[in-house]
Amino acid sequence: MNIGIVCYPTYGGSGVVATELGIALAQKGHQVHFITSHQPVKLNFLTHNLHFHEVFVENYPLFHYQPYNLALSSKLVESVEKYDLDVLHVHYAIPHAYAAYMAKQMLKDIGIDIPIVTTLHGTDITLVGSHPVYKPAVEFSINHSDAVTTVSNSLKEDTLRLFNIRKNVEVIYNFIDFEKQASWSDEQCMRDTLASSDEKILAHVSNLRPVKRVLDVIRIFHKVQKEIPSKLILVGDGPDKEKADLLAKELGVKDKVLFLGKSDEIRKILCLTDLFLLPSETESFGLAALEAMAAHTPVISSNTGGLSEVNEHGVTGFLSDVGDVDDMAKNAIFLLRDAERLEKFKKQAFESAHQFSIESILPKYVSMYERVIKNGF
Ligand code: GMT
């Protein structure tokens, strides 16, 4: 198949999923065309079957906001025609599903009917998409997609609750490529560069936005380190970084918290991590939790959204109510203070992550593409 993929080519979870999906499809022999504003970060285009078409936005002084939607729709039309694309898969509804709908209508004028698959990722439905400013356009573009998927059952429920949806919504979970994980050996894991042998290492990886509740991460760690000698690694960049830094200073744990900034070396960091913290306000799936589990790291998380579909309470880690830092710290200490228990949870987290292996998820997207190409739904 010739597949067009539209996504945010940044560090966000939806961009990571779209990129990994494209790479896996290309490895299976499909021609995959990324149509995005920049080259997706995890993509190496010196690979067979992968193509990149950059969406340029022409600046003009009259524009207060640059019309990215228009530029994307035009690029989609051009790419579908030029590369004979069979299907367009758009990740994150805003504005991708809307731009794809426009492209579809333009293509109809020249006798091409391109099916659109829209994958909803989370905040395009919850925090942002359901805001009255965007809701009518988001609802319209979901209803006019040929197929719609969500990354968890919880997000499907949110979509049906918040919008008037007339389409069938299919859940296709996010996934992990264990082959890539396996290429990582423990000898590469330089734990002693970050902590002494008697210290445990906790980690949090995110874009440090308020929705991730990074201050809760610091508060949990503050309680944990009173009981267990430990270090905290914070990976990512975002608006709450400074607040987190200040709170760490205020609580007197600044010297035990390492801010690593944005990193392409998540696997390297996870291999030396004992426990992953994800106390988010809302989380449709929690790809970061799955990545941690796939690297043998149990997860202490909130029980919001789709997190309970990924992190199994008492098996792969523990879940608590949003904001309940006492409970999260209690669970973290429970795991960290008993070496045998921690080992058991590490093993269980790794095993449980296998239900989300790329081998089991990829065929679901492929059969969805085949269905929409054949039937238009
Ligand atoms: O919240 C983020 O980290 C970014 C956001 C995105 O769309 O890039 O993530 C959402 O999509 C991820 C991939 O499907 C999910 O794993 C995240 O749970 C989801 N984030 C939220 O729902 C807040």
Side-chain angles (χ1 to χ4, degrees):
M1 277 181 277
N2 294 332
I3 302 158
I5 293 187
V6 179
C7 65
Y8 282 106
T10 56
Y11 282 80
S14 59
V16 171
V17 170
T19 308
E20 295 290 350
L21 175 62
I23 293 170
L25 288 164
Q27 280 165 355
K28 292 273 176 218
H30 300 287
Q31 294 298 323
V32 180
H33 296 256
F34 281 88
I35 304 148
T36 53
S37 59
H38 302 87
Q39 179 168 323
V41 279
K42 287 200 166 183
L43 215 56
N44 171 7
F45 280 99
L46 293 174
T47 315
H48 287 300
N49 307 338
L50 282 175
H51 315 272
F52 167 52
H53 313 298
E54 187 166 350
V55 182
F56 292 105
V57 182
E58 194 57 34
N59 280 330
Y60 185 67
L62 185 68
F63 300 149
H64 185 58
Y65 302 105
Q66 304 309 320
Y68 180 70
N69 278 355
L70 283 190
L72 176 58
S73 298
S74 299
K75 195 74 187 175
L76 289 175
V77 169
E78 182 194 307
S79 306
V80 170
E81 258 200 289
K82 197 164 165 188
Y83 304 103
D84 199 18
L85 301 188
D86 299 307
V87 59
L88 284 177
H89 188 176
V90 301
H91 291 259
Y92 206 92
I94 308 167
H96 302 147
Y98 194 73
Y101 169 79
M102 283 310 298
K104 185 179 169 96
Q105 299 315 307
M106 286 188 262
L107 285 158
K108 272 188 184 159
D109 261 10
I110 51 169
I112 297 174
D113 190 9
I114 183 92
I116 313 279
V117 175
T118 296
T119 290
L120 305 170
H121 278 271
T123 50
D124 47 350
I125 291 301
T126 53
L127 285 185
V128 191
S130 56
H131 191 282
V133 167
Y134 300 115
K135 191 176 166 182
V138 173
E139 188 171 277
F140 176 89
S141 39
I142 293 173
N143 280 325
H144 285 80
S145 298
D146 295 278
V148 181
T149 79
T150 58
V151 297
S152 65
N153 285 307
S154 154
L155 185 60
K156 176 176 175 175
E157 281 160 26
D158 284 342
T159 306
L160 299 180
R161 180 173 49 81
L162 295 166
F163 296 87
N164 182 11
I165 299 300
R166 304 187 299 273
K167 303 285 311 175
N168 178 42
V169 177
E170 189 172 327
V171 177
I172 302 184
Y173 280 128
N174 287 333
F175 53 83
I176 199 99
D177 186 342
F178 280 91
E179 224 171 87
K180 280 189 191 158
Q181 303 281 321
S183 63
W184 187 266
S185 77
D186 277 353
E187 293 84 70
Q188 290 168 274
C189 196
M190 297 185 295
R191 193 190 159 92
D192 56 354
T193 56
L194 291 184
S196 57
S197 57
D198 66 323
E199 283 179 318
K200 296 290 183 222
I201 300 181
L202 294 85
H204 169 80
V205 181
S206 79
N207 42 30
L208 311 188
R209 286 178 296 152
V211 69
K212 301 292 174 183
R213 296 187 70 101
V214 191
L215 301 186
D216 282 2
V217 172
I218 303 287
R219 290 187 189 109
I220 296 163
F221 176 68
H222 172 239
K223 288 176 189 295
V224 171
Q225 57 81 45
K226 283 185 188 166
E227 308 274 330
I228 312 268
S230 45
K231 291 264 167 60
L232 171 66
I233 308 175
L234 274 177
V235 186
D237 208 353
D240 278 359
K241 188 175 171 180
E242 209 180 314
K243 282 187 200 152
D245 188 54
L246 278 174
L247 183 63
K249 263 186 212 144
E250 223 175 278
L251 295 176
V253 292
K254 179 71 211 293
D255 58 329
K256 293 179 183 171
V257 181
L258 276 95
F259 287 85
L260 291 189
K262 274 185 187 169
S263 174
D264 283 335
E265 298 190 303
I266 303 300
R267 187 62 186 83
K268 193 170 176 180
I269 294 159
L270 288 173
C271 92
L272 42 84
T273 301
D274 293 299
L275 198 56
F276 192 81
L277 303 178
L278 194 62
S280 307
E281 183 80 36
T282 143
E283 202 70 70
S284 70
F285 180 89
L287 187 63
L290 176 59
E291 285 176 346
M293 286 160 52
H296 295 88
T297 308
V299 177
I300 296 293
S301 73
S302 60
N303 54 14
T304 187
L307 277 172
S308 61
E309 294 170 58
V310 181
N311 184 19
E312 200 182 332
H313 189 73
V315 178
T316 63
F318 289 98
L319 298 102
S320 312
D321 289 341
V322 173
D324 193 346
V325 290
D326 286 340
D327 196 51
M328 293 186 204
K330 189 191 87 201
N331 290 333
I333 294 164
F334 175 75
L335 277 181
L336 293 174
R337 79 157 29 124
D338 183 323
E340 217 173 286
R341 186 182 296 141
L342 182 60
E343 241 1 87
K344 187 172 158 219
F345 271 73
K346 284 185 176 187
K347 198 162 162 271
Q348 287 168 176
F350 179 67
E351 278 163 9
S352 179
H354 278 79
Q355 63 186 298
F356 303 101
S357 75
I358 193 160
E359 287 79 17
S360 58
I361 304 296
L362 190 69
K364 295 181 200 284
Y365 279 118
V366 172
S367 62
M368 170 164 279
Y369 297 158
E370 287 169 349
R371 217 164 57 229
V372 290
I373 291 169
K374 197 163 155 235
N375 303 329
F377 63 89

